[in-house]
Amino acid sequence: MTRTPISISAGQAGSDPGAGPLNRLTLRERLDLATRLEHRLVGHVRRPGNAEPVRRQAAYVRSESLVPDDVDTELRDAMTRDCAVDMLVHVGPRGTGGSLVDRLLGDAPAATGPGTAPQDSGTAPAGLTVDDAERALLGQWRGGGVLGYFMVTDLVDEHAVLHNLEDDLEYRVYTGRSEIRATALLPGLPLSVRLLPVGAAWIFADTPLVFSPGSVVGVVRGVVGLLASTPCPAYRNPRTVARARELVADHHRAFRDLFGDVLVQGTASHVMDCYLRFKARIGAPAEEFALFPSLRDERWLPDDAADPDDEAFALVHHPVKGLRLLDWYAQLREVHTAPFASWKPGRLAQVLADPDVPSWVLALLAERHPDHLDVLYGLALDEPGFSWARDGAALLHDREPAVVRDEPGIIMASSIMGRVRPPEDETEVLPAW
């Protein structure tokens, strides 16, 4: 893997550690304070009163196989619990969000539902208080730091220099109070861990999972596979995200030149043919394959089970979000086209609730089929007086997670929408407001 010699900047690591309540502390004092604070957060989640949230989160970790299978049962259980605790501190409970860090900062929504423990609520955690300096550190940890796979490249006193295999950046990590010392690390050693920023420096959030030097090839292949499905970690590198934007813009021009539009639709075989023609136009292997080698496969294309005569598919290219294959696009288009029918708002409500349907595709449909947008979206959202001209942009913006809103999409993604047919009787009475 090619390494880019870029050092992580203070801006990427977090806010200026010399500002506000931390300005009275030396760098070592800040790092020690940060390590003690992380230990307190982990200790709080591990309290007996939080046993049920930890159990539920551990069950999720186990179901998602986030812990390797090739370890003994006792170690696997311990790794599962450690992963669950880390997620509760920095990510939040599965399905509800609201990490412990967010709750301390007052950013977390209140959790609801059966079995919700007091510890899961959006209120400040009972028995855990932080001073102004600790709150300033928590502000730097709001985004969860950096969780990833690293290679040890150098050791300097109580610091380890780690090269992140996902974003191709280097992190200088202070190890003084962690459970693993710099002297226990060796250059060339792969490891997995969450790093937390302390200004321009970093600390381990927990004891790293250290792999044997002989497992480097497997670790790198695993990272490439992760990036092929979710490239966002790579975009922490400013050079990578800038080049990805250039590639997507180049590909967008090529798509329009080839097909005369940003969208082509038809049968599975027609869309397959268009994709292969587009791939040939941009070059094979294209430059994005050098960034993410596992992109050479074509797993997202329509499978053999698709009806060759079904013209429900579409291939659409966005100047920033890239290429998207849409299954059952014809039905989504029919929802937006005239004449209006009573079944359409219900179908649209399902689409709006499906995060797999991109907002920019809905915006494209609205632009091309504007006839009954106000009544269609008003009924689907149960919002009388909805105006697409006034409210549409905000609606679509809110559907997109902020973390991926502006990410360049150099991977062709697939949207498999629910195959809900309109009712046979399309003359039913429209619901009242």
Side-chain angles (χ1 to χ4, degrees):
M1 175 174 289
T2 302
R3 291 182 177 176
T4 305
I6 304 176
S7 296
I8 193 76
S9 69
Q12 290 168 283
S15 58
D16 181 2
L22 295 175
N23 62 355
R24 296 182 298 273
L25 305 179
T26 66
L27 174 60
R28 177 175 293 276
E29 288 172 335
R30 294 174 198 141
L31 291 166
D32 285 348
L33 176 64
T35 305
R36 292 195 301 270
L37 176 59
E38 171 64 11
H39 287 175
R40 288 178 59 206
L41 299 181
V42 171
H44 179 83
V45 172
R46 289 184 177 275
R47 295 189 316 170
N50 287 325
E52 179 57 22
V54 172
R55 185 198 65 78
R56 292 199 303 267
Q57 194 72 13
Y60 162 69
V61 172
R62 196 173 295 109
S63 70
E64 293 294 313
S65 300
L66 300 180
V67 177
D69 291 323
D70 56 347
V71 295
D72 64 71
T73 303
E74 184 176 351
L75 179 57
R76 178 180 173 83
D77 288 344
M79 292 170 64
T80 299
R81 286 193 301 271
D82 289 346
C83 183
V85 170
D86 173 78
M87 294 179 74
L88 290 173
V89 172
H90 295 289
V91 180
R94 170 65 175 169
T96 62
S99 68
L100 180 57
V101 171
D102 289 337
R103 289 167 56 206
L104 284 166
L105 291 171
D107 295 341
T112 59
T116 299
Q119 296 87 316
D120 293 331
S121 72
T123 59
L128 183 62
T129 59
V130 294
D131 60 27
D132 290 343
E134 291 172 324
R135 180 172 291 276
L137 285 170
L138 291 173
Q140 298 179 27
W141 299 353
R142 180 180 274 112
V146 173
L147 175 66
Y149 293 85
F150 304 82
M151 291 285 292
V152 179
T153 59
D154 198 5
L155 302 172
V156 184
D157 298 326
E158 289 186 298
H159 291 80
V161 180
L162 306 182
H163 183 88
N164 191 314
L165 296 175
E166 294 169 296
D167 62 26
D168 208 23
L169 295 171
E170 290 188 342
Y171 296 76
R172 191 172 296 274
V173 186
Y174 172 80
T175 63
R177 289 181 59 87
S178 66
E179 294 182 22
I180 185 167
R181 302 286 179 172
T183 53
L185 301 175
L186 296 172
L189 204 63
L191 52 86
S192 174
V193 69
R194 185 188 302 276
L195 303 181
L196 299 175
V198 184
W202 300 81
I203 64 169
F204 288 127
D206 200 353
T207 304
L209 174 61
V210 180
F211 302 92
S212 67
S215 64
V216 170
V217 173
V219 170
V220 171
R221 285 177 177 170
V223 168
V224 170
L226 290 172
L227 291 176
S229 59
T230 308
C232 56
Y235 292 151
R236 288 190 295 260
N237 187 321
R239 292 186 182 178
T240 299
V241 72
R243 183 55 190 142
R245 292 189 192 283
E246 293 175 359
L247 281 170
V248 174
D250 290 344
H251 293 174
H252 189 69
R253 286 188 289 270
F255 193 96
R256 293 192 64 130
D257 290 345
L258 187 61
F259 302 115
D261 196 358
V262 298
L263 181 145
V264 293
Q265 57 192 36
T267 64
S269 59
H270 175 67
V271 168
M272 171 90 71
D273 177 68
C274 290
Y275 170 71
L276 295 177
R277 289 168 58 197
F278 172 66
K279 184 177 177 181
R281 172 64 69 90
I282 63 176
E287 186 176 343
E288 67 268 31
F289 296 158
L291 293 175
F292 307 116
S294 68
L295 300 189
R296 293 188 179 94
D297 63 70
E298 298 170 3
R299 60 191 166 186
W300 298 113
L301 292 175
D303 57 35
D304 293 337
D307 183 346
D309 297 322
D310 186 351
E311 297 190 0
F313 295 94
L315 202 62
V316 59
H317 203 288
H318 187 271
V320 175
K321 305 304 293 183
L323 191 65
R324 179 74 67 142
L325 170 68
L326 300 176
D327 184 21
W328 293 85
Y329 171 79
Q331 189 181 113
L332 183 57
R333 183 194 63 218
E334 186 179 2
V335 168
H336 286 78
T337 55
F340 180 82
S342 60
W343 61 268
K344 293 184 177 182
R347 170 60 181 148
L348 179 60
Q350 295 176 358
V351 171
L352 292 175
D354 182 357
D356 202 32
V357 181
S359 285
W360 58 269
V361 172
L362 296 174
L364 180 64
L365 284 162
E367 177 185 341
R368 297 189 174 196
H369 308 286
D371 294 339
H372 51 251
L373 292 176
D374 292 351
V375 64
L376 175 65
Y377 278 80
L379 288 168
L381 297 166
D382 193 20
E383 293 185 8
F386 179 90
S387 167
W388 178 264
R390 182 187 64 238
D391 308 318
L395 166 68
L396 298 184
H397 181 273
D398 291 344
R399 290 185 72 252
E400 300 282 0
V403 70
V404 299
R405 195 169 285 150
D406 299 319
E407 282 186 356
I410 64 173
I411 299 170
M412 186 181 78
S414 177
S415 289
I416 308 299
M417 297 180 291
R419 304 186 179 191
V420 179
R421 294 291 188 182
E424 293 183 5
D425 181 8
E426 298 182 5
T427 61
E428 61 179 288
V429 179
L430 289 177
W433 283 109

